[in-house]
PDB file of all heavy atoms in Angstrom:
ATOM      1  N   ARG A 199     -12.473  30.154  -4.531  1.00 97.00           N
ATOM      2  CA  ARG A 199     -13.321  29.019  -4.935  1.00 97.00           C
ATOM      3  C   ARG A 199     -12.835  27.680  -4.385  1.00 97.00           C
ATOM      4  O   ARG A 199     -13.463  26.659  -4.618  1.00 97.00           O
ATOM      5  CB  ARG A 199     -13.363  28.954  -6.468  1.00 97.00           C
ATOM      6  CG  ARG A 199     -14.008  30.159  -7.142  1.00 97.00           C
ATOM      7  CD  ARG A 199     -14.145  29.957  -8.643  1.00 97.00           C
ATOM      8  NE  ARG A 199     -12.860  29.837  -9.319  1.00 97.00           N
ATOM      9  CZ  ARG A 199     -12.434  28.730  -9.923  1.00 97.00           C
ATOM     10  NH1 ARG A 199     -13.179  27.636  -9.919  1.00 97.00           N
ATOM     11  NH2 ARG A 199     -11.262  28.727 -10.527  1.00 97.00           N
ATOM     12  N   PHE A 200     -11.727  27.693  -3.689  1.00 97.00           N
ATOM     13  CA  PHE A 200     -11.124  26.460  -3.203  1.00 97.00           C
ATOM     14  C   PHE A 200     -11.328  26.290  -1.699  1.00 97.00           C
ATOM     15  O   PHE A 200     -11.194  27.235  -0.929  1.00 97.00           O
ATOM     16  CB  PHE A 200      -9.623  26.453  -3.499  1.00 97.00           C
ATOM     17  CG  PHE A 200      -9.287  26.534  -4.958  1.00 97.00           C
ATOM     18  CD1 PHE A 200      -9.000  27.756  -5.552  1.00 97.00           C
ATOM     19  CD2 PHE A 200      -9.273  25.397  -5.752  1.00 97.00           C
ATOM     20  CE1 PHE A 200      -8.697  27.835  -6.902  1.00 97.00           C
ATOM     21  CE2 PHE A 200      -8.967  25.468  -7.103  1.00 97.00           C
ATOM     22  CZ  PHE A 200      -8.682  26.691  -7.681  1.00 97.00           C
ATOM     23  N   THR A 201     -11.658  25.056  -1.301  1.00 97.00           N
ATOM     24  CA  THR A 201     -11.749  24.696   0.107  1.00 97.00           C
ATOM     25  C   THR A 201     -10.971  23.410   0.329  1.00 97.00           C
ATOM     26  O   THR A 201     -11.216  22.419  -0.359  1.00 97.00           O
ATOM     27  CB  THR A 201     -13.202  24.484   0.555  1.00 97.00           C
ATOM     28  OG1 THR A 201     -13.947  25.692   0.373  1.00 97.00           O
ATOM     29  CG2 THR A 201     -13.263  24.069   2.027  1.00 97.00           C
ATOM     30  N   ALA A 202     -10.037  23.452   1.254  1.00 96.00           N
ATOM     31  CA  ALA A 202      -9.290  22.256   1.626  1.00 96.00           C
ATOM     32  C   ALA A 202      -9.857  21.731   2.934  1.00 96.00           C
ATOM     33  O   ALA A 202     -10.149  22.490   3.855  1.00 96.00           O
ATOM     34  CB  ALA A 202      -7.808  22.578   1.783  1.00 96.00           C
ATOM     35  N   GLN A 203     -10.005  20.436   2.981  1.00 96.00           N
ATOM     36  CA  GLN A 203     -10.561  19.785   4.169  1.00 96.00           C
ATOM     37  C   GLN A 203      -9.610  18.686   4.615  1.00 96.00           C
ATOM     38  O   GLN A 203      -9.135  17.890   3.803  1.00 96.00           O
ATOM     39  CB  GLN A 203     -11.927  19.196   3.818  1.00 96.00           C
ATOM     40  CG  GLN A 203     -12.701  18.619   4.979  1.00 96.00           C
ATOM     41  CD  GLN A 203     -14.086  18.164   4.520  1.00 96.00           C
ATOM     42  OE1 GLN A 203     -14.218  17.096   3.927  1.00 96.00           O
ATOM     43  NE2 GLN A 203     -15.082  18.978   4.772  1.00 96.00           N
ATOM     44  N   VAL A 204      -9.321  18.643   5.902  1.00 96.00           N
ATOM     45  CA  VAL A 204      -8.436  17.624   6.456  1.00 96.00           C
ATOM     46  C   VAL A 204      -9.157  16.910   7.594  1.00 96.00           C
ATOM     47  O   VAL A 204      -9.699  17.553   8.489  1.00 96.00           O
ATOM     48  CB  VAL A 204      -7.127  18.242   7.002  1.00 96.00           C
ATOM     49  CG1 VAL A 204      -6.285  17.191   7.709  1.00 96.00           C
ATOM     50  CG2 VAL A 204      -6.331  18.884   5.867  1.00 96.00           C
ATOM     51  N   ASP A 205      -9.148  15.605   7.534  1.00 95.00           N
ATOM     52  CA  ASP A 205      -9.707  14.776   8.605  1.00 95.00           C
ATOM     53  C   ASP A 205      -8.604  13.821   9.052  1.00 95.00           C
ATOM     54  O   ASP A 205      -8.419  12.756   8.462  1.00 95.00           O
ATOM     55  CB  ASP A 205     -10.931  14.011   8.094  1.00 95.00           C
ATOM     56  CG  ASP A 205     -11.600  13.198   9.188  1.00 95.00           C
ATOM     57  OD1 ASP A 205     -10.985  12.975  10.252  1.00 95.00           O
ATOM     58  OD2 ASP A 205     -12.753  12.781   8.991  1.00 95.00           O
ATOM     59  N   LYS A 206      -7.876  14.211  10.073  1.00 93.00           N
ATOM     60  CA  LYS A 206      -6.737  13.398  10.515  1.00 93.00           C
ATOM     61  C   LYS A 206      -7.188  12.081  11.134  1.00 93.00           C
ATOM     62  O   LYS A 206      -6.477  11.086  11.044  1.00 93.00           O
ATOM     63  CB  LYS A 206      -5.888  14.182  11.513  1.00 93.00           C
ATOM     64  CG  LYS A 206      -5.113  15.321  10.882  1.00 93.00           C
ATOM     65  CD  LYS A 206      -4.172  15.959  11.888  1.00 93.00           C
ATOM     66  CE  LYS A 206      -3.375  17.080  11.255  1.00 93.00           C
ATOM     67  NZ  LYS A 206      -2.439  17.708  12.210  1.00 93.00           N
ATOM     68  N   SER A 207      -8.348  12.058  11.731  1.00 93.00           N
ATOM     69  CA  SER A 207      -8.805  10.810  12.366  1.00 93.00           C
ATOM     70  C   SER A 207      -9.091   9.744  11.315  1.00 93.00           C
ATOM     71  O   SER A 207      -8.878   8.552  11.538  1.00 93.00           O
ATOM     72  CB  SER A 207     -10.047  11.068  13.223  1.00 93.00           C
ATOM     73  OG  SER A 207     -11.107  11.557  12.424  1.00 93.00           O
ATOM     74  N   SER A 208      -9.568  10.171  10.149  1.00 94.00           N
ATOM     75  CA  SER A 208      -9.851   9.235   9.061  1.00 94.00           C
ATOM     76  C   SER A 208      -8.709   9.153   8.062  1.00 94.00           C
ATOM     77  O   SER A 208      -8.775   8.367   7.113  1.00 94.00           O
ATOM     78  CB  SER A 208     -11.133   9.650   8.328  1.00 94.00           C
ATOM     79  OG  SER A 208     -12.230   9.663   9.205  1.00 94.00           O
ATOM     80  N   LYS A 209      -7.682   9.984   8.243  1.00 94.00           N
ATOM     81  CA  LYS A 209      -6.535  10.029   7.322  1.00 94.00           C
ATOM     82  C   LYS A 209      -7.015  10.303   5.897  1.00 94.00           C
ATOM     83  O   LYS A 209      -6.747   9.528   4.952  1.00 94.00           O
ATOM     84  CB  LYS A 209      -5.716   8.748   7.393  1.00 94.00           C
ATOM     85  CG  LYS A 209      -5.095   8.464   8.761  1.00 94.00           C
ATOM     86  CD  LYS A 209      -4.096   7.325   8.667  1.00 94.00           C
ATOM     87  CE  LYS A 209      -3.506   6.973   9.996  1.00 94.00           C
ATOM     88  NZ  LYS A 209      -4.468   6.386  10.935  1.00 94.00           N
ATOM     89  N   TYR A 210      -7.691  11.418   5.769  1.00 95.00           N
ATOM     90  CA  TYR A 210      -8.379  11.722   4.518  1.00 95.00           C
ATOM     91  C   TYR A 210      -8.336  13.230   4.305  1.00 95.00           C
ATOM     92  O   TYR A 210      -8.615  13.992   5.227  1.00 95.00           O
ATOM     93  CB  TYR A 210      -9.835  11.258   4.689  1.00 95.00           C
ATOM     94  CG  TYR A 210     -10.708  11.307   3.471  1.00 95.00           C
ATOM     95  CD1 TYR A 210     -10.804  10.209   2.627  1.00 95.00           C
ATOM     96  CD2 TYR A 210     -11.475  12.434   3.188  1.00 95.00           C
ATOM     97  CE1 TYR A 210     -11.641  10.218   1.527  1.00 95.00           C
ATOM     98  CE2 TYR A 210     -12.301  12.467   2.090  1.00 95.00           C
ATOM     99  CZ  TYR A 210     -12.397  11.361   1.269  1.00 95.00           C
ATOM    100  OH  TYR A 210     -13.218  11.375   0.169  1.00 95.00           O
TER     101      TYR A 210
END
Side-chain angles (χ1 to χ4, degrees):
Chain A
R199 296 186 296 114
F200 299 95
T201 299
Q203 186 176 79
V204 174
D205 183 344
K206 289 186 179 181
S207 61
S208 300
K209 298 191 182 67
Y210 187 91

